[in-house]
Amino acid sequence: GAVVSQHPSRVICKSGTSVKIECRSLDFQATTMFWYRQFPKQSLMLMATSNEGSKATYEQGVEKDKFLINHASLTLSTLTVTSAHPEDSSFYICSALPPGSYEQYFGPGTRLTVT
Amino acid sequence: KNEVEQSPQNLTAQEGEFITINCSYSVGISALHWLQQHPGGGIVSLFMLSSGKKKHGRLIATINIQEKHSSLHITASHPRDSAVYICAVNFGNEKLTFGTGTRLTIIP
């Protein structure tokens, strides 16, 4: 099946620094990728839809200047958490959507801890 | 309003038992997905359905479009099936709307 990777899998950073998370589709091209956030024992919350070559579409309540998304190629989207604060600590998951399909392939997730 | 409801929220069963997890949704859909999330956090897509029934190994997923309802069944359950199972739906676009998940624990 299709494979999506995420890097890093785990990151600890100090408050005020920025962290970049990469999401790659390894064996297919994805014009659309999604970024999710998940709090403990809760379901996934969609943060934004990342479209190759265009600006990301953010969900209501998600600060686009805080969570910068870049989808520079058909296999790579990045999420940068800028000026991270402890409340940004969470599990971030990406997914990639092959063209013409509804089936999303999920990355393994990145656990961010901001101290 | 586009909503997805799952039940039960938690389910504990003995190894070997037949497991059923239910999912209901509010309006017409393009597709319904069953996802599995293990404690490490990774999510695996088990099934994508728009009608009928699909089977993979010990897992069976069914959907009734008229009743707006889907079920995920696990036969001969095993401790390694312990995970969170999530129902997610495409309400006419590419975005997924997620159910709250069912935490399944299979006791040896």
Side-chain angles (χ1 to χ4, degrees):
Chain A
V3 178
V4 175
S5 70
Q6 252 182 271
H7 178 79
S9 57
R10 189 179 293 268
V11 58
I12 301 172
C13 71
K14 293 193 174 182
S15 190
T17 61
S18 293
V19 174
K20 181 186 282 188
I21 302 169
E22 292 186 349
C23 178
R24 293 182 186 270
S25 57
L26 298 184
D27 51 2
F28 66 98
Q29 293 184 331
T31 53
T32 302
M33 291 184 174
F34 298 94
W35 286 97
Y36 300 93
R37 182 174 182 175
Q38 187 178 34
F39 293 104
K41 300 199 174 183
Q42 294 190 26
S43 195
L44 284 77
M45 181 191 78
L46 179 64
M47 299 174 66
T49 303
S50 170
N51 298 295
E52 189 268 336
S54 65
K55 290 183 179 180
T57 304
Y58 290 82
E59 295 299 300
Q60 193 172 7
V62 178
E63 298 176 60
K64 63 180 180 181
D65 294 331
K66 174 144 187 80
F67 299 99
L68 299 179
I69 290 172
N70 184 279
H71 194 155
S73 78
L74 288 171
T75 58
L76 173 64
S77 176
T78 61
L79 168 69
T80 302
V81 183
T82 62
S83 187
H85 289 279
E87 57 265 30
D88 298 324
S89 299
S90 192
F91 191 60
Y92 293 87
I93 307 173
C94 72
S95 71
L97 190 67
S101 172
Y102 280 122
E103 185 159 14
Q104 292 184 26
Y105 295 93
F106 291 85
T110 297
R111 190 163 301 282
L112 170 64
T113 303
V114 184
T115 60
Chain B
K1 188 179 176 183
N2 297 342
E3 291 182 334
V4 179
E5 292 187 2
Q6 251 184 272
S7 64
Q9 282 194 317
N10 294 283
L11 179 57
T12 300
Q14 292 290 134
E15 182 173 356
E17 286 189 40
F18 181 80
I19 303 298
T20 296
I21 300 171
N22 297 299
C23 177
S24 297
Y25 49 91
S26 53
V27 297
I29 63 170
S30 303
L32 181 143
H33 307 253
W34 281 103
L35 310 172
Q36 180 192 56
Q37 186 171 32
H38 276 283
I43 293 176
V44 174
S45 176
L46 299 174
F47 296 103
M48 183 176 70
L49 295 165
S50 55
S51 65
K53 175 179 173 179
K54 286 189 175 180
K55 184 176 189 293
H56 185 259
R58 294 181 294 106
L59 301 177
I60 303 166
T62 63
I63 188 168
N64 184 316
I65 299 297
Q66 287 72 35
E67 295 185 1
K68 298 184 179 59
H69 180 269
S70 175
S71 293
L72 176 69
H73 305 286
I74 305 175
T75 62
S77 59
H78 190 276
R80 65 175 175 267
D81 297 325
S82 298
V84 176
Y85 293 83
I86 303 169
C87 173
V89 165
N90 295 101
F91 285 113
N93 60 44
E94 296 172 329
K95 292 198 290 189
L96 288 175
T97 301
F98 295 89
T100 52
T102 296
R103 187 172 300 273
L104 175 65
T105 303
I106 303 298
I107 300 171

